[in-house]
Amino acid sequence: MGRRRYAIVGAGARARMFARALAVDHADRAELVAFADVNPVRMEAHNRWLKELGAPPAAMWTPAELADHLAAGDVDTLLVTSVDRTHDEYIVMGLTAGVDVITEKPMTTDVERCRRILAAADGSAGRVTVTFNYRYNPLHEKVRELLAANAIGQVGSVHFEWLLDVRHGADYFRRWHRDKADSGGLLVHKATHHFDLVNWWLGARPDVVYASGMLFFYGENGARHGYDHGYERAHGAAAAADDPFALELAASPELRQLYLDAERMDGYYRDRSVFAPGVTIEDDLSVLVRYDTGARMTYHLTAYAPWEGYRVAFNGSKGRLELDVVENDHVSPAGAREVKGAQLHGEAAAAESGGYSITVRPFWEPPRQVTVSGHSRQGHGGADVRMTHVLFGDGAGLHQPDALGRAATERDGAASLMVGLAGNESIRTGAPVRVSDLLEI
Ligand SMILES: NC(=O)c1ccc[n+]([C@@H]2O[C@H](COP(=O)([O-])OP(=O)(O)OC[C@H]3O[C@@H](n4cnc5c(N)ncnc54)[C@H](O)[C@@H]3O)[C@@H](O)[C@H]2O)c1
């Protein structure tokens, strides 16, 4: 059997992980045929990195060339890692050409786009996979196993809090994510992971959503809280020098090549002040969800926390299950100005620490701790490597039966998205929103 031919559309930061997985780790089964992007400078950077890894370069296509090559049958699977707002265009393009599509989360950013994707999937021989990598985190797999094994009986309610720290959380306020039209806001862009996990853990679909959100910390609130340094973008701004929220593009070879060197082509500034005007997303969000199983969830997302991690508690008919994860216990000053995960070296890396606990608390018994192997602090708790192994590796297990049901389809993509989109609608109107009033999933 020949190797499967892949094209990656959207040659930004996230594409690097996939390019390596295809062109290096799984090169025996996969061929990275091309990158496609509106910005050639970023595609050139990716090809330099492939060269450093000893892999051959990929072709560099414009979006129009991508459409032609898909129609000509030159690609078997299209991988979508572009800006969220553009996902639907490429998912539909791939499906119309009859090829499989693997798309980054969120599947898309609004109800109309979601409807178009579902319709295109229904009429295509191609299949859609949404890369909900968090399903492949060993801690999350364990929670799924415990719930499926009835460790706490039927789940009545879920209490879920997610904290993004002032490095990672801040990063959504520097560039395109800060505009709801580009990202759908954090209930869509970020919480789609969390809402997917709950759908998957409970085997449930959302029914009614009520949400409330505000921009409390970033944007023009920075002046009120005493953080605004009065510059638009960090590069070339003297005022950014002592701002712990400033991102220094020139200090990181990756950021320089992907963004600073590329910005003359499209005016994409990666390093805007998180306190500069123009933010249309929220940084503090509360959501109440009722599911079709009868379960309820209270959810909170904070994007300006001193530590990063999450707490999930499931209240069941036979006890309670608690998952506590500390991804970073604080943001060290040396690492504050770097992008999360990408550049932490030496003391900064050592200073921050993480950990987890999974506790099952059955009624009338002492609590028991559950340990998990394979969890790491790299690539979303070790999830990225495990997911790409399933996506591209042995037996291309993508559409193979999976005991944990980890592969997510466009219906799963829509089900998670609809919690966020119904939440956005609820924030707008102040009223609870029935998901089926927006879209049948
Ligand atoms: N699953 C995860 O854990 C995870 C982590 C990071 C990013 N992501 C997702 O990956 C995607 C990319 O994020 P990123 O951080 O790499 O962003 P990025 O800004 O670094 O890259 C986006 C790329 O899309 C390109 N692009 C913009 N408009 C386009 C168009 N019309 N056609 C083709 N390309 C276009 C840009 O030029 C850029 O190269 C997002 O959807 C994000 O949600 C997922």
Side-chain angles (χ1 to χ4, degrees), residues 9-15 36-39 42 63 81-87 89-90 104-106 131 133-134 175-177 189 193 258-259 266 268 380 384:
V9 60
R14 185 63 173 161
D37 202 295
V38 288
N39 191 321
R42 269 192 277 281
T81 56
S82 52
V83 168
D84 300 353
R85 153 183 55 80
T86 66
H87 288 181
E89 185 186 334
Y90 294 109
E104 259 304 346
K105 48 54 58 174
T131 54
N133 45 346
Y134 267 115
R175 47 176 174 154
W176 52 267
H177 310 79
H189 177 82
H193 275 307
L258 269 188
Y259 304 105
D266 56 9
Y268 171 1
H380 302 97
D384 285 350

Side-chain angles (χ1 to χ4, degrees), residues 16 167 247-249 251-256 334-335 337-346 348-349:
R16 194 168 181 184
R167 177 174 56 227
L247 181 72
E248 256 187 81
L249 294 179
S252 147
E254 177 172 22
L255 293 176
R256 172 183 274 283
R337 305 178 63 177
E338 306 287 0
V339 178
K340 179 178 183 272
Q343 312 290 334
L344 289 178
H345 301 300

